[in-house]
Amino acid sequence: MDIAALREKNPEHWMKAAAIRTLTLDAVAAANSGHSGMPMGMADVATVLFEKHLKFDAANPQWPDRDRFILSAGHGSMLIYSLLYLCGDKQVSFEQIKNFRQMGALTAGHPENFLIDAVETTTGPLGQGIANAVGFAMAEEIQRAQYGRKVVDHNTYVIAGDGCLMEGISQEAIGLAGRHSLGKLVVFWDNNNITIDGTVELSDRTDQVKRFKASGWHVQEIDGHDPQAIDAAIEAAKKSKKPSMIACKTHIALGHAAQDTSKGHGALTDADQLAAAKAAYGVTGGAFEVPADVKAQWEAIGARGATEREAWEGRFAEISKQKQDRFTRAYALDAPKKLSAVVKALKKQVSEDKPSVATRKSSEMALAAINPIMPETVGGSADLTGSNNTKTADLGVFDTDNRKGRYVYWGIREHGMAAAMNGMALHGGIRPYSGTFFCFTDYARPAMRLAALMKVPSVFVMTHDSIGVGEDGPTHQPVEHLAICRATPNTYVFRPADTVETAEAWEIALSSKDTPSVMALTRQNLPTVRTEHKLANLTSKGAYVLAEATGKRQVILMATGSEVSLAMAARDALEAEGIGTRVVSMPCMELFAQQDEAYRRKVLPAGSAVRIGIEAAVRQGWDQWLLGERARPGKSDFVGMDRFGASAPAGELFEKFGITAENVVAKAKALL
């Protein structure tokens, strides 16, 4: 690559892009870790995008109608950190650049949305960013239909690398974007033909251009180091009604001795090679130095969007007060004031009617009451709408001819669905929830983990939550999945016992601002166990006393979901024999753990009572309550699963695996 020719052809552009490259080299060298090559290769694309197209205001990085910029290839984090520092972002200071990847710095190894306001989403796990971007673009379409183009009219730009496009989630995302004609989504493919192991040909021969075209995208191929070609391609992409992919042919680690090699992907720290690269760029000065005139030009780019932001604020002030309030409330993640009253009314009705329904149906009943008062909810299912019960009558279907639709047919794309949900939540103004079978959290798991890490309140509706699935057999019967979800920090795992608890769980999930929720719901019908109406949301305590011992308390039975009614039956049998038995319903262990010690002791008091946990899943996660919390040593047991299930009617399976009231009674008596 003739660096001198690039410099001479576009000198002003070159020096702005060179600032990104030199900051990257210096920061990675100082940290002695990181990924230099991608920022060096994509600096030209990023410079043209930020200078000529991206709608943003460095002083107000979260104003709602900004363009969204997503670095899916998050290992190249110095690209976005350099851009933010150069543009005058208040958080990414000179000191932050110098302390790249160091303890306490905002400039972490991969971009973290919860550290820096201008970072739209946490990226690094390859493919997640491009899938998040689909959710961002869908959220923009929905809100533009709700509020009008004067208030919502922005683009989502993504930089993705070869690794992002190899990950399977990318095809789920690409297929969704093409199907829904997300014309405001633009992906720049960093086509440098290099991975950590070597050239792409070592492991892949996919024609990415044909792949995107086949999925319904507008595709262009350009020289990723030609600013005029980049500018023209972005202009054309913005005019297309299809999502756009711009294949940018680039050189990884441009201008460095490691250019076009796998070594160029990682940390370039050799001092002599670094100096040689800077000399090739025509850059003089010490480490982290950016010429004053170049920094001023970048700061002007960062300030340019203030005028557009102010104009937007004027337009926003012109819409109705009702719309303003709804918009502001949704972006603040505040639940409507009516939510509590609606849930209380449903609980009262259910306690009176005492229906016997599956909790997946209970969830639908709750959503039918909640969705009409929360226009920010967007539901969906991974091709299991009739099984997950996530679609309510008022939503309408999101499609190319109905952008106001609030229900998404995601198709068989659990991973892409979950990641796009996160993108919707991160975009702002949307409360996403969608469903699949609980067993298929295995497919959605990486995005569910990132929801917890990013502190976004996505709601994952997971039905068919146990061996109660029955005849479909062990491939569809989750056993370890509750333990996996509970092991994930910052996640609420709800397993409600009936419609009352399900409604309460939805109230909590849709009021949460920084914690995702997992709704583990049954296929089989369950009786109403909360037959006495309580105004208080007892599920918010995580666990509570459902039924007290009538005499001296000798046994405490703890259960979740479908096993709560089983615990109640066991209690009846034990009480009939004069054995005082308390039943504790534990719909959310995480919330119970957050309660103060006094409340936890009230529910699980110290003493001689034996404790038995009951759940049609593995024991992992239960010992905190069975052995801890001042439990009596050697006086606890668990009734559940220690193996995979089988194919048979649900009732027979519960008998086979000993998840019965009779077995609970026998274990309790053996411990007394």
Side-chain angles (χ1 to χ4, degrees):
M1 192 74 184
D2 190 342
I3 301 296
L6 290 176
R7 287 169 47 192
E8 292 171 8
K9 186 176 182 181
N10 300 284
E12 189 173 299
H13 161 86
W14 175 263
M15 291 308 293
K16 287 197 285 286
I20 296 171
R21 294 180 171 113
T22 57
L23 285 171
T24 294
L25 283 167
D26 290 335
V28 172
N32 199 33
S33 74
H35 300 80
S36 312
M38 191 283 282
M40 295 166 71
M42 287 297 283
D44 295 304
V45 171
T47 298
V48 173
L49 175 64
F50 271 63
E51 181 179 11
K52 298 183 180 297
H53 298 278
L54 194 72
K55 182 172 66 172
F56 77 109
D57 178 3
N60 291 272
Q62 293 190 318
W63 69 284
D65 200 39
R66 68 193 179 278
D67 286 342
R68 272 60 169 180
F69 172 66
I70 295 171
L71 188 67
S72 188
H75 57 276
S77 56
M78 270 309 300
L79 177 68
I80 194 167
Y81 299 150
S82 297
L83 287 162
L84 294 177
Y85 163 67
L86 290 167
C87 287
D89 185 277
K90 294 176 183 178
Q91 289 181 299
V92 186
S93 64
F94 181 67
E95 287 302 311
Q96 291 293 337
I97 294 293
K98 288 178 66 177
N99 286 290
F100 174 57
R101 285 182 162 237
Q102 303 308 300
M103 178 66 74
L106 302 180
T107 46
H110 293 85
E112 308 287 4
N113 70 297
F114 50 86
L115 294 179
I116 298 174
D117 291 342
V119 171
E120 302 286 358
T121 178
T122 293
T123 54
L126 294 176
Q128 288 291 327
I130 191 173
N132 292 159
V134 173
F136 275 86
M138 293 173 81
E140 193 273 346
E141 294 280 359
I142 292 168
Q143 291 191 327
R144 181 153 34 89
Q146 290 180 337
Y147 295 99
R149 192 176 293 274
K150 288 184 177 181
V151 176
V152 180
D153 187 17
H154 53 263
N155 297 299
T156 300
Y157 296 99
V158 185
I159 288 180
D162 291 305
C164 291
L165 301 192
M166 281 194 212
E167 290 286 359
I169 189 175
S170 70
Q171 184 54 44
E172 297 185 26
I174 292 164
L176 279 165
R179 164 61 184 83
H180 288 293
S181 299
L182 301 179
K184 288 186 167 289
L185 174 61
V186 180
V187 173
F188 301 97
W189 169 33
D190 179 18
N191 179 18
N192 61 40
N193 198 44
I194 295 294
T195 66
I196 292 174
D197 280 350
T199 62
V200 169
E201 285 79 11
L202 283 173
S203 57
D204 193 39
R205 65 188 305 170
T206 303
D207 187 326
Q208 298 291 355
V209 168
K210 289 182 179 178
R211 176 189 175 207
F212 275 81
K213 285 182 178 178
S215 298
W217 286 58
H218 172 256
V219 181
Q220 303 172 78
E221 297 180 76
I222 64 168
D223 177 351
H225 300 298
D226 181 341
Q228 285 77 30
I230 297 166
D231 184 28
I234 297 173
E235 284 289 355
K238 286 159 66 174
K239 294 175 182 176
S240 175
K241 294 182 179 180
K242 297 179 179 181
S244 288
M245 189 272 265
I246 303 174
C248 305
K249 189 59 186 171
T250 61
H251 295 271
I252 198 167
L254 180 73
H256 190 276
Q259 178 182 312
D260 299 329
T261 69
S262 58
K263 180 176 173 54
H265 172 88
L268 304 178
T269 58
D270 182 274
D272 291 338
Q273 291 180 349
L274 188 153
K278 285 189 175 183
Y281 298 158
V283 173
T284 59
F288 298 103
E289 287 188 18
V290 176
D293 61 327
V294 174
K295 184 68 165 71
Q297 291 172 36
W298 270 113
E299 288 180 355
I301 292 169
R304 184 196 64 226
T307 302
E308 285 186 276
R309 176 184 52 77
E310 291 166 0
W312 176 84
E313 289 170 350
R315 295 194 301 272
F316 183 75
E318 293 172 356
I319 66 174
S320 70
K321 180 68 164 53
Q322 182 183 28
K323 280 192 173 183
Q324 286 182 42
D325 290 346
R326 192 177 82 193
F327 185 94
T328 302
R329 178 185 61 74
Y331 268 82
L333 290 173
D334 292 329
K337 293 179 181 178
K338 291 181 180 179
L339 179 61
S340 179
V342 163
V343 170
K344 285 183 175 70
L346 177 60
K347 286 165 54 179
K348 186 175 188 298
Q349 187 66 50
V350 168
S351 295
E352 293 172 356
D353 294 345
K354 304 176 181 60
S356 178
V357 296
T359 49
R360 58 173 174 157
K361 179 62 177 177
S362 302
S363 174
E364 182 182 36
M365 293 163 64
L367 288 169
I370 292 168
N371 278 335
I373 66 162
M374 291 191 74
E376 65 267 36
T377 57
V378 174
S381 171
D383 201 50
L384 291 167
T385 296
S387 295
N388 298 149
N389 296 81
T390 42
K391 187 174 185 290
T392 58
D394 62 302
L395 290 179
V397 176
F398 177 80
D399 209 338
T400 53
D401 60 352
N402 184 23
R403 295 312 205 193
K404 288 185 178 180
R406 292 161 52 205
Y407 191 81
V408 181
Y409 288 113
W410 294 105
I412 306 91
R413 298 184 178 98
E414 294 88 355
H415 196 179
M417 172 184 78
M421 287 167 59
N422 290 343
M424 287 181 171
L426 288 162
H427 174 278
I430 298 288
R431 284 273 188 178
Y433 73 86
S434 289
T436 185
F437 288 171
F438 193 30
C439 205
F440 301 144
T441 53
D442 292 336
Y443 289 145
R445 165 73 184 154
M448 294 172 70
R449 177 180 185 270
L450 281 169
L453 176 64
M454 294 190 291
K455 304 177 184 179
V456 294
S458 301
V459 184
F460 304 102
V461 182
M462 300 299 181
T463 69
H464 297 58
D465 71 343
S466 73
I467 57 171
V469 171
E471 293 85 347
D472 277 340
T475 60
H476 285 54
Q477 293 167 3
V479 174
E480 72 276 29
H481 299 74
L482 281 166
I484 292 170
C485 291
R486 288 171 179 154
T488 306
N490 190 41
T491 300
Y492 293 147
V493 183
F494 294 101
R495 192 165 186 254
D498 64 4
T499 304
V500 175
E501 285 191 357
T502 305
E504 290 179 338
W506 271 110
E507 182 181 7
I508 297 163
L510 294 176
S511 300
S512 170
K513 293 190 176 187
D514 55 15
T515 300
S517 297
V518 176
M519 298 284 184
L521 307 172
T522 68
R523 178 196 187 209
Q524 71 273 29
N525 290 344
L526 304 180
T528 299
V529 295
R530 285 273 293 280
T531 55
E532 181 183 351
H533 177 55
K534 300 281 188 182
L535 288 175
N537 186 322
L538 299 183
T539 298
S540 68
K541 295 291 189 180
Y544 61 93
V545 177
L546 177 63
E548 186 54 283
T550 55
K552 178 185 177 182
R553 184 174 56 245
Q554 300 181 63
V555 177
I556 299 176
L557 303 179
M558 298 176 280
T560 75
S562 50
E563 286 66 69
V564 173
S565 57
L566 184 154
M568 293 291 282
R571 173 186 177 274
D572 290 344
L574 288 165
E575 289 275 348
E577 295 188 39
I579 301 172
T581 303
R582 168 184 284 189
V583 172
V584 172
S585 180
M586 191 174 280
C588 184
M589 290 185 179
E590 297 77 28
L591 286 172
F592 187 52
Q594 291 175 13
Q595 305 307 307
D596 60 43
E597 186 178 359
Y599 178 78
R600 297 201 311 273
R601 285 186 180 182
K602 184 178 178 181
V603 175
L604 297 178
S608 59
V610 302
R611 298 182 185 182
I612 298 177
I614 315 166
E615 188 171 67
V618 298
R619 177 169 174 155
Q620 187 171 342
W622 275 94
D623 284 351
Q624 178 179 0
W625 318 115
L626 294 173
L627 306 179
E629 297 289 304
R630 307 201 317 171
R632 184 181 175 189
K635 291 296 181 179
S636 65
D637 208 340
F638 179 73
V639 174
M641 299 292 292
D642 60 3
R643 71 200 82 173
F644 292 113
S647 178
E652 294 180 23
L653 290 172
F654 280 97
E655 288 283 345
K656 172 180 173 58
F657 293 108
I659 306 176
T660 64
E662 293 77 12
N663 192 30
V664 173
V665 169
K667 285 182 177 290
K669 292 168 72 174
L671 289 169
L672 287 170

PDB file of all heavy atoms in Angstrom, residues 411-434:
ATOM      1  N   GLY A 411     -38.949 -15.692  13.939  1.00  0.00           N
ATOM      2  CA  GLY A 411     -38.482 -16.887  13.261  1.00  0.00           C
ATOM      3  C   GLY A 411     -37.626 -17.728  14.195  1.00  0.00           C
ATOM      4  O   GLY A 411     -37.471 -17.429  15.378  1.00  0.00           O
ATOM      5  N   ILE A 412     -37.056 -18.790  13.668  1.00  0.00           N
ATOM      6  CA  ILE A 412     -36.280 -19.708  14.505  1.00  0.00           C
ATOM      7  C   ILE A 412     -34.885 -19.112  14.689  1.00  0.00           C
ATOM      8  O   ILE A 412     -33.894 -19.534  14.088  1.00  0.00           O
ATOM      9  CB  ILE A 412     -36.236 -21.119  13.901  1.00  0.00           C
ATOM     10  CG1 ILE A 412     -37.656 -21.641  13.633  1.00  0.00           C
ATOM     11  CG2 ILE A 412     -35.539 -22.099  14.851  1.00  0.00           C
ATOM     12  CD1 ILE A 412     -38.200 -21.331  12.265  1.00  0.00           C
ATOM     13  N   ARG A 413     -34.819 -18.084  15.509  1.00  0.00           N
ATOM     14  CA  ARG A 413     -33.590 -17.295  15.675  1.00  0.00           C
ATOM     15  C   ARG A 413     -33.465 -16.857  17.138  1.00  0.00           C
ATOM     16  O   ARG A 413     -33.450 -15.675  17.444  1.00  0.00           O
ATOM     17  CB  ARG A 413     -33.630 -16.037  14.792  1.00  0.00           C
ATOM     18  CG  ARG A 413     -33.700 -16.260  13.288  1.00  0.00           C
ATOM     19  CD  ARG A 413     -33.637 -14.894  12.605  1.00  0.00           C
ATOM     20  NE  ARG A 413     -33.654 -14.963  11.159  1.00  0.00           N
ATOM     21  CZ  ARG A 413     -34.746 -14.795  10.417  1.00  0.00           C
ATOM     22  NH1 ARG A 413     -35.919 -14.583  11.004  1.00  0.00           N
ATOM     23  NH2 ARG A 413     -34.667 -14.841   9.103  1.00  0.00           N
ATOM     24  N   GLU A 414     -33.344 -17.801  18.056  1.00  0.00           N
ATOM     25  CA  GLU A 414     -33.324 -17.438  19.470  1.00  0.00           C
ATOM     26  C   GLU A 414     -32.184 -16.478  19.814  1.00  0.00           C
ATOM     27  O   GLU A 414     -32.373 -15.528  20.581  1.00  0.00           O
ATOM     28  CB  GLU A 414     -33.210 -18.688  20.347  1.00  0.00           C
ATOM     29  CG  GLU A 414     -34.413 -19.609  20.292  1.00  0.00           C
ATOM     30  CD  GLU A 414     -34.329 -20.641  19.176  1.00  0.00           C
ATOM     31  OE1 GLU A 414     -33.362 -20.576  18.380  1.00  0.00           O
ATOM     32  OE2 GLU A 414     -35.216 -21.508  19.107  1.00  0.00           O
ATOM     33  N   HIS A 415     -30.998 -16.737  19.253  1.00  0.00           N
ATOM     34  CA  HIS A 415     -29.845 -15.898  19.570  1.00  0.00           C
ATOM     35  C   HIS A 415     -30.026 -14.490  18.996  1.00  0.00           C
ATOM     36  O   HIS A 415     -29.856 -13.484  19.697  1.00  0.00           O
ATOM     37  CB  HIS A 415     -28.577 -16.559  19.019  1.00  0.00           C
ATOM     38  CG  HIS A 415     -27.308 -16.010  19.590  1.00  0.00           C
ATOM     39  ND1 HIS A 415     -26.065 -16.496  19.240  1.00  0.00           N
ATOM     40  CD2 HIS A 415     -27.072 -15.011  20.473  1.00  0.00           C
ATOM     41  CE1 HIS A 415     -25.136 -15.834  19.896  1.00  0.00           C
ATOM     42  NE2 HIS A 415     -25.706 -14.924  20.643  1.00  0.00           N
ATOM     43  N   GLY A 416     -30.395 -14.427  17.724  1.00  0.00           N
ATOM     44  CA  GLY A 416     -30.614 -13.133  17.100  1.00  0.00           C
ATOM     45  C   GLY A 416     -31.751 -12.367  17.757  1.00  0.00           C
ATOM     46  O   GLY A 416     -31.678 -11.140  17.916  1.00  0.00           O
ATOM     47  N   MET A 417     -32.800 -13.091  18.135  1.00  0.00           N
ATOM     48  CA  MET A 417     -33.939 -12.469  18.821  1.00  0.00           C
ATOM     49  C   MET A 417     -33.493 -11.806  20.120  1.00  0.00           C
ATOM     50  O   MET A 417     -33.785 -10.629  20.373  1.00  0.00           O
ATOM     51  CB  MET A 417     -35.005 -13.522  19.120  1.00  0.00           C
ATOM     52  CG  MET A 417     -36.153 -13.044  19.984  1.00  0.00           C
ATOM     53  SD  MET A 417     -37.330 -14.365  20.410  1.00  0.00           S
ATOM     54  CE  MET A 417     -36.412 -15.202  21.732  1.00  0.00           C
ATOM     55  N   ALA A 418     -32.772 -12.553  20.948  1.00  0.00           N
ATOM     56  CA  ALA A 418     -32.363 -12.024  22.252  1.00  0.00           C
ATOM     57  C   ALA A 418     -31.427 -10.833  22.092  1.00  0.00           C
ATOM     58  O   ALA A 418     -31.537  -9.838  22.825  1.00  0.00           O
ATOM     59  CB  ALA A 418     -31.700 -13.125  23.069  1.00  0.00           C
ATOM     60  N   ALA A 419     -30.513 -10.911  21.129  1.00  0.00           N
ATOM     61  CA  ALA A 419     -29.587  -9.797  20.912  1.00  0.00           C
ATOM     62  C   ALA A 419     -30.312  -8.567  20.372  1.00  0.00           C
ATOM     63  O   ALA A 419     -30.017  -7.429  20.766  1.00  0.00           O
ATOM     64  CB  ALA A 419     -28.473 -10.217  19.957  1.00  0.00           C
ATOM     65  N   ALA A 420     -31.258  -8.773  19.470  1.00  0.00           N
ATOM     66  CA  ALA A 420     -32.027  -7.646  18.940  1.00  0.00           C
ATOM     67  C   ALA A 420     -32.904  -7.025  20.026  1.00  0.00           C
ATOM     68  O   ALA A 420     -33.080  -5.794  20.065  1.00  0.00           O
ATOM     69  CB  ALA A 420     -32.876  -8.094  17.754  1.00  0.00           C
ATOM     70  N   MET A 421     -33.446  -7.851  20.913  1.00  0.00           N
ATOM     71  CA  MET A 421     -34.192  -7.310  22.055  1.00  0.00           C
ATOM     72  C   MET A 421     -33.310  -6.378  22.872  1.00  0.00           C
ATOM     73  O   MET A 421     -33.732  -5.287  23.271  1.00  0.00           O
ATOM     74  CB  MET A 421     -34.690  -8.447  22.943  1.00  0.00           C
ATOM     75  CG  MET A 421     -35.842  -9.251  22.387  1.00  0.00           C
ATOM     76  SD  MET A 421     -36.092 -10.780  23.346  1.00  0.00           S
ATOM     77  CE  MET A 421     -36.413 -10.140  24.987  1.00  0.00           C
ATOM     78  N   ASN A 422     -32.074  -6.803  23.125  1.00  0.00           N
ATOM     79  CA  ASN A 422     -31.147  -5.945  23.856  1.00  0.00           C
ATOM     80  C   ASN A 422     -30.922  -4.629  23.116  1.00  0.00           C
ATOM     81  O   ASN A 422     -30.845  -3.558  23.728  1.00  0.00           O
ATOM     82  CB  ASN A 422     -29.809  -6.655  24.064  1.00  0.00           C
ATOM     83  CG  ASN A 422     -29.903  -7.806  25.039  1.00  0.00           C
ATOM     84  OD1 ASN A 422     -30.854  -7.918  25.812  1.00  0.00           O
ATOM     85  ND2 ASN A 422     -28.914  -8.677  25.009  1.00  0.00           N
ATOM     86  N   GLY A 423     -30.814  -4.716  21.784  1.00  0.00           N
ATOM     87  CA  GLY A 423     -30.648  -3.506  20.991  1.00  0.00           C
ATOM     88  C   GLY A 423     -31.837  -2.573  21.120  1.00  0.00           C
ATOM     89  O   GLY A 423     -31.676  -1.345  21.232  1.00  0.00           O
ATOM     90  N   MET A 424     -33.044  -3.135  21.121  1.00  0.00           N
ATOM     91  CA  MET A 424     -34.243  -2.316  21.308  1.00  0.00           C
ATOM     92  C   MET A 424     -34.208  -1.585  22.651  1.00  0.00           C
ATOM     93  O   MET A 424     -34.494  -0.386  22.739  1.00  0.00           O
ATOM     94  CB  MET A 424     -35.492  -3.197  21.256  1.00  0.00           C
ATOM     95  CG  MET A 424     -35.873  -3.700  19.886  1.00  0.00           C
ATOM     96  SD  MET A 424     -37.392  -4.686  20.017  1.00  0.00           S
ATOM     97  CE  MET A 424     -37.779  -4.909  18.281  1.00  0.00           C
ATOM     98  N   ALA A 425     -33.854  -2.332  23.701  1.00  0.00           N
ATOM     99  CA  ALA A 425     -33.805  -1.730  25.032  1.00  0.00           C
ATOM    100  C   ALA A 425     -32.736  -0.647  25.104  1.00  0.00           C
ATOM    101  O   ALA A 425     -32.957   0.421  25.684  1.00  0.00           O
ATOM    102  CB  ALA A 425     -33.554  -2.815  26.078  1.00  0.00           C
ATOM    103  N   LEU A 426     -31.583  -0.915  24.505  1.00  0.00           N
ATOM    104  CA  LEU A 426     -30.481   0.045  24.531  1.00  0.00           C
ATOM    105  C   LEU A 426     -30.791   1.294  23.704  1.00  0.00           C
ATOM    106  O   LEU A 426     -30.339   2.389  24.028  1.00  0.00           O
ATOM    107  CB  LEU A 426     -29.204  -0.616  24.008  1.00  0.00           C
ATOM    108  CG  LEU A 426     -28.568  -1.641  24.947  1.00  0.00           C
ATOM    109  CD1 LEU A 426     -27.610  -2.532  24.170  1.00  0.00           C
ATOM    110  CD2 LEU A 426     -27.845  -0.949  26.093  1.00  0.00           C
ATOM    111  N   HIS A 427     -31.553   1.118  22.642  1.00  0.00           N
ATOM    112  CA  HIS A 427     -31.938   2.266  21.821  1.00  0.00           C
ATOM    113  C   HIS A 427     -32.670   3.294  22.659  1.00  0.00           C
ATOM    114  O   HIS A 427     -32.493   4.500  22.514  1.00  0.00           O
ATOM    115  CB  HIS A 427     -32.826   1.803  20.664  1.00  0.00           C
ATOM    116  CG  HIS A 427     -33.383   2.925  19.849  1.00  0.00           C
ATOM    117  ND1 HIS A 427     -34.504   3.648  20.226  1.00  0.00           N
ATOM    118  CD2 HIS A 427     -32.968   3.466  18.676  1.00  0.00           C
ATOM    119  CE1 HIS A 427     -34.754   4.577  19.321  1.00  0.00           C
ATOM    120  NE2 HIS A 427     -33.843   4.489  18.377  1.00  0.00           N
ATOM    121  N   GLY A 428     -33.521   2.792  23.562  1.00  0.00           N
ATOM    122  CA  GLY A 428     -34.315   3.672  24.407  1.00  0.00           C
ATOM    123  C   GLY A 428     -35.752   3.744  23.961  1.00  0.00           C
ATOM    124  O   GLY A 428     -36.061   3.642  22.770  1.00  0.00           O
ATOM    125  N   GLY A 429     -36.649   3.884  24.925  1.00  0.00           N
ATOM    126  CA  GLY A 429     -38.057   4.069  24.622  1.00  0.00           C
ATOM    127  C   GLY A 429     -38.824   2.802  24.338  1.00  0.00           C
ATOM    128  O   GLY A 429     -40.016   2.864  24.039  1.00  0.00           O
ATOM    129  N   ILE A 430     -38.181   1.645  24.423  1.00  0.00           N
ATOM    130  CA  ILE A 430     -38.816   0.365  24.122  1.00  0.00           C
ATOM    131  C   ILE A 430     -38.608  -0.590  25.295  1.00  0.00           C
ATOM    132  O   ILE A 430     -37.527  -0.649  25.882  1.00  0.00           O
ATOM    133  CB  ILE A 430     -38.230  -0.275  22.842  1.00  0.00           C
ATOM    134  CG1 ILE A 430     -38.478   0.617  21.625  1.00  0.00           C
ATOM    135  CG2 ILE A 430     -38.801  -1.673  22.611  1.00  0.00           C
ATOM    136  CD1 ILE A 430     -39.904   0.675  21.153  1.00  0.00           C
ATOM    137  N   ARG A 431     -39.658  -1.347  25.629  1.00  0.00           N
ATOM    138  CA  ARG A 431     -39.581  -2.422  26.619  1.00  0.00           C
ATOM    139  C   ARG A 431     -39.771  -3.747  25.883  1.00  0.00           C
ATOM    140  O   ARG A 431     -40.890  -4.189  25.650  1.00  0.00           O
ATOM    141  CB  ARG A 431     -40.684  -2.266  27.660  1.00  0.00           C
ATOM    142  CG  ARG A 431     -40.433  -1.182  28.680  1.00  0.00           C
ATOM    143  CD  ARG A 431     -39.620  -1.718  29.830  1.00  0.00           C
ATOM    144  NE  ARG A 431     -39.523  -0.759  30.923  1.00  0.00           N
ATOM    145  CZ  ARG A 431     -38.897  -1.012  32.062  1.00  0.00           C
ATOM    146  NH1 ARG A 431     -38.327  -2.195  32.257  1.00  0.00           N
ATOM    147  NH2 ARG A 431     -38.829  -0.104  33.008  1.00  0.00           N
ATOM    148  N   PRO A 432     -38.682  -4.418  25.499  1.00  0.00           N
ATOM    149  CA  PRO A 432     -38.837  -5.645  24.719  1.00  0.00           C
ATOM    150  C   PRO A 432     -39.035  -6.890  25.584  1.00  0.00           C
ATOM    151  O   PRO A 432     -38.433  -7.031  26.652  1.00  0.00           O
ATOM    152  CB  PRO A 432     -37.499  -5.735  23.974  1.00  0.00           C
ATOM    153  CG  PRO A 432     -36.519  -5.111  24.929  1.00  0.00           C
ATOM    154  CD  PRO A 432     -37.274  -4.034  25.652  1.00  0.00           C
ATOM    155  N   TYR A 433     -39.896  -7.779  25.118  1.00  0.00           N
ATOM    156  CA  TYR A 433     -40.019  -9.111  25.698  1.00  0.00           C
ATOM    157  C   TYR A 433     -40.283 -10.081  24.559  1.00  0.00           C
ATOM    158  O   TYR A 433     -40.953  -9.744  23.580  1.00  0.00           O
ATOM    159  CB  TYR A 433     -41.140  -9.171  26.749  1.00  0.00           C
ATOM    160  CG  TYR A 433     -42.541  -9.128  26.171  1.00  0.00           C
ATOM    161  CD1 TYR A 433     -43.194 -10.288  25.747  1.00  0.00           C
ATOM    162  CD2 TYR A 433     -43.217  -7.913  26.031  1.00  0.00           C
ATOM    163  CE1 TYR A 433     -44.475 -10.240  25.200  1.00  0.00           C
ATOM    164  CE2 TYR A 433     -44.486  -7.855  25.485  1.00  0.00           C
ATOM    165  CZ  TYR A 433     -45.117  -9.025  25.071  1.00  0.00           C
ATOM    166  OH  TYR A 433     -46.373  -8.980  24.520  1.00  0.00           O
ATOM    167  N   SER A 434     -39.749 -11.264  24.643  1.00  0.00           N
ATOM    168  CA  SER A 434     -39.998 -12.275  23.608  1.00  0.00           C
ATOM    169  C   SER A 434     -39.750 -13.651  24.196  1.00  0.00           C
ATOM    170  O   SER A 434     -39.079 -13.798  25.228  1.00  0.00           O
ATOM    171  CB  SER A 434     -39.112 -12.058  22.378  1.00  0.00           C
ATOM    172  OG  SER A 434     -39.523 -10.918  21.656  1.00  0.00           O
TER     173      SER A 434
END
